[in-house]
Amino acid sequence: MNHLIAPSILAADFANLQRDIELINKSDADWIHVDIMDGMFVPNISFGFPVVTAVKKHAAKPLDVHLMIVDPDRYLKNFKEAGAAGMTVHYEACPNLHRTVQYIKELGCRAGVALNPHTPVALLEDIIGELDMVLIMSVNPGFGGQKFIENTYKKLKDIKELSSRKKPGLYIEVDGGVDGSNAAKLVEAGANVLVAGNSVFSTPDPSVAITNLKKSGALSLS
């Protein structure tokens, strides 16, 4: 599987969000990553349903919705109706994870589970067969621009090994501190979806930054 790029609009210019969405549409990006934060599961607040609906109106690429919220089951249908193609919930926020995953799939969305930096991959042993994607957080969730956590490489290798045994073809996404300096190493460790925010939107030409991430990750596969 060639790796995918999912620019995070958390780092976009909110005053020019339509412009940045259209930039992603024309770029080599594959998905649009949408971070939802509730100020409870993480110490920050981001978008709600109206913004996701507005993004969907202009998006030509699938919305990859990352729910950093408590009790996500309450809102899964709303995010599906707002335009989510995939929804990722946090292992740490879901006491009945299997039920949550099944509900996402019943809604017709790609079902993902995210793991915080302290959460071991082994906890997914009994559910990975039900998942479409696992998201490895390479920073603590809640804010962009954080320092990359080096243990991420080991976790990616662990989830790739588990996937090879129980769920071949799994999307393995990594989010946090992803840039041109580590993209190739992340893909080599097992990631096949790279989320990038600041390393895209803080550059003079975000489209070029996206292309470079696509190319730099591809180096490890050549």
Side-chain angles (χ1 to χ4, degrees):
M1 181 193 299
N2 293 328
H3 74 281
L4 309 181
I5 304 297
S8 171
I9 59 171
L10 187 65
D13 182 350
F14 291 176
N16 293 283
L17 195 51
Q18 179 179 346
R19 178 202 66 190
D20 284 355
I21 294 298
E22 290 172 350
L23 181 152
I24 295 172
N25 288 341
K26 296 173 184 176
S27 76
D28 289 328
D30 301 281
W31 298 345
I32 297 173
H33 192 77
V34 184
D35 288 305
I36 307 298
M37 306 179 187
D38 62 0
M40 297 177 66
F41 182 70
V42 293
N44 199 4
I45 296 174
S46 60
F47 317 114
F49 308 123
V51 172
V52 178
T53 300
V55 168
K56 177 60 178 175
K57 287 180 181 178
H58 300 287
K61 300 187 177 183
L63 300 189
D64 176 35
V65 176
H66 178 192
L67 299 175
M68 290 176 269
I69 63 177
V70 297
D71 195 7
D73 299 60
R74 295 174 296 166
Y75 302 116
L76 296 176
K77 185 177 180 182
N78 300 83
F79 281 111
K80 164 63 177 177
E81 292 173 348
M87 287 185 277
T88 299
V89 296
H90 270 260
Y91 177 92
E92 304 84 3
C94 298
N96 299 292
L97 184 60
H98 185 271
R99 183 168 63 195
T100 302
V101 167
Q102 288 302 306
Y103 186 27
I104 293 172
K105 297 178 87 164
E106 286 170 11
L107 290 169
C109 291
R110 182 181 61 251
V113 170
L115 298 180
N116 279 345
H118 71 281
T119 304
V121 164
L123 292 173
L124 297 180
E125 177 88 24
D126 291 337
I127 197 171
I128 195 167
E130 302 292 326
L131 305 181
D132 300 307
M133 185 169 78
V134 170
L135 167 55
I136 300 297
M137 291 300 301
S138 44
V139 299
N140 288 298
F143 295 95
Q146 296 182 68
K147 185 179 179 181
F148 179 86
I149 296 172
E150 293 294 319
N151 190 53
T152 300
Y153 297 115
K154 178 185 181 300
K155 291 184 74 171
L156 287 170
K157 291 175 182 177
D158 289 345
I159 199 67
K160 185 177 181 180
E161 189 278 330
L162 182 58
S163 168
S164 68
R165 289 192 289 112
K166 294 203 167 188
K167 184 70 177 191
L170 181 76
Y171 287 113
I172 301 174
E173 187 172 57
V174 60
D175 183 3
V178 175
D179 59 28
S181 72
N182 58 21
K185 190 174 179 181
L186 290 167
V187 173
E188 184 178 9
N192 51 40
V193 185
L194 305 180
V195 176
N198 286 340
S199 65
V200 167
F201 290 106
S202 67
T203 64
D205 192 333
S207 184
V208 170
I210 291 168
T211 297
N212 288 341
L213 284 172
K214 197 85 168 177
K215 289 180 178 177
S216 62
L219 292 176
S220 67
L221 301 177
S222 62

